Amino acid sequence: MRARLARLTRRGRRRLFVVSTAGILGGGAPLWVPQMLATLPAFSVREVVVVGTRYTPPDEIKRLAGIEVDASVWDDPRIWEDRVRQHPMVRDVDVRREGLRTLEIAVVEKRPVALVVTPELRPVNGEGRVLPLDPAEAHLDLPVIGGLANVEGEVVADAGVRELALLLEELNRANAEFVSVVSEVSRTPEGAYRFVMLPSADAGVVLLPREDPVLALDRVSIALGHIEDERVAHADARFAGQVVLKRAEAR
């Protein structure tokens, strides 16, 4: 056996190493294996791909990650991820291997859900954090939260405005089509939610209760589905288990 191994050519030993490595990786690599593979030129990074971004330029993410020219796809990605998380538009990030020589930076951005008046229009996410986006340049077609918002640092200080931002985020997950035709949202004196809709919507104004507004919106959608070829002026779902519709006046 020892004599047989001695007769292995350099190419044969390389093939033996590759087969052994594949077996280790297929069976679950020990902790020391990535450190060993990181030293091999065959796994040096040749390409970095950024996915998941809509508002942040991919090149900006690559520069922030600062992946070194001699980096390996087997290097510990946590230092790159920590760098990318410093970007004000990044909620989370995952750097992972794609093939032998490619790294993929998967970004989860902070998503704008509304515009607040400060007095200039500024985008906020569901947590009420002001995002570093120009509404015009980013082509943000978002609902406006009624009233003047007080911003401290990069966070909206008004609890009521933050509540409406969170509401829009929840409604967008449940019914993105509805939110896409909302022009403005505010609170009524009684504490309900008032949505002024765009002309393309089936109703001019929609009123939802503060308690379980998502379920109430489902009732509104069902009620409006029974109205054909006529726009509704008001759809009021503040009443338990029912929706009151007011037809628009004929012109």
Side-chain angles (χ1 to χ4, degrees):
M1 179 66 179
R2 184 174 301 172
R4 186 183 304 170
L5 287 176
R7 291 195 299 269
L8 283 176
T9 64
R10 180 179 299 178
R11 179 178 297 178
R13 289 195 295 270
R14 187 182 300 123
R15 288 177 177 173
L16 179 61
F17 170 78
V18 171
V19 171
S20 300
T21 300
I24 292 174
L25 297 180
L31 294 178
W32 53 266
V33 170
Q35 299 175 6
M36 178 189 70
L37 296 179
T39 65
L40 300 178
F43 297 107
S44 60
V45 177
R46 285 290 182 88
E47 184 180 13
V48 177
V49 179
V50 177
V51 298
T53 57
R54 177 179 177 182
Y55 304 104
T56 311
D59 287 344
E60 194 171 318
I61 296 297
K62 292 180 184 179
R63 287 195 299 270
L64 191 58
I67 298 175
E68 300 79 2
V69 293
D70 60 345
S72 167
V73 295
W74 286 97
D75 285 339
D76 190 337
R78 287 177 292 184
I79 186 171
W80 303 324
E81 293 170 346
D82 289 343
R83 291 170 182 167
V84 174
R85 285 192 185 96
Q86 296 174 13
H87 195 286
M89 280 299 298
V90 173
R91 179 184 295 277
D92 201 4
V93 61
D94 179 31
V95 179
R96 54 206 180 201
R97 296 183 302 278
E98 288 293 330
L100 295 179
R101 313 194 77 167
T102 300
L103 285 177
E104 181 180 88
I105 305 178
V107 175
V108 179
E109 287 183 313
K110 296 175 183 176
R111 182 177 181 180
V113 298
L115 300 173
V116 296
V117 182
T118 66
E120 68 272 17
L121 290 177
R122 302 179 68 182
V124 296
N125 68 353
E127 298 173 344
R129 292 188 173 274
V130 178
L131 302 179
L133 294 173
D134 183 295
E137 291 183 1
H139 305 289
L140 298 181
D141 186 13
L142 299 171
V144 176
I145 295 178
L148 187 63
N150 179 28
V151 176
E152 295 181 358
E154 296 303 319
V155 180
V156 175
D158 306 276
V161 175
R162 294 199 306 271
E163 179 183 338
L164 291 174
L166 180 60
L167 170 69
L168 287 169
E169 185 175 61
E170 293 174 349
L171 292 179
N172 192 69
R173 286 196 296 265
N175 191 333
E177 183 178 357
F178 170 78
V179 176
S180 70
V181 289
V182 173
S183 174
E184 181 178 332
V185 58
S186 59
R187 293 275 298 277
T188 69
E190 299 79 20
Y193 302 122
R194 183 177 187 270
F195 299 86
V196 178
M197 311 300 292
L198 295 173
S200 58
D202 294 331
V205 174
V206 175
L207 296 170
L208 300 179
R210 194 172 183 183
E211 183 177 350
D212 208 345
V214 174
L215 181 60
L217 180 58
D218 288 341
R219 297 200 305 269
V220 170
S221 298
I222 293 172
L224 292 176
H226 293 290
I227 304 297
E228 297 182 359
D229 302 326
E230 190 171 356
R231 193 166 187 261
V232 172
H234 285 78
D236 191 347
R238 292 176 296 175
F239 311 99
Q242 58 182 310
V243 177
V244 176
L245 301 179
K246 179 181 179 181
R247 297 181 184 274
E249 296 182 0
R251 294 183 178 181

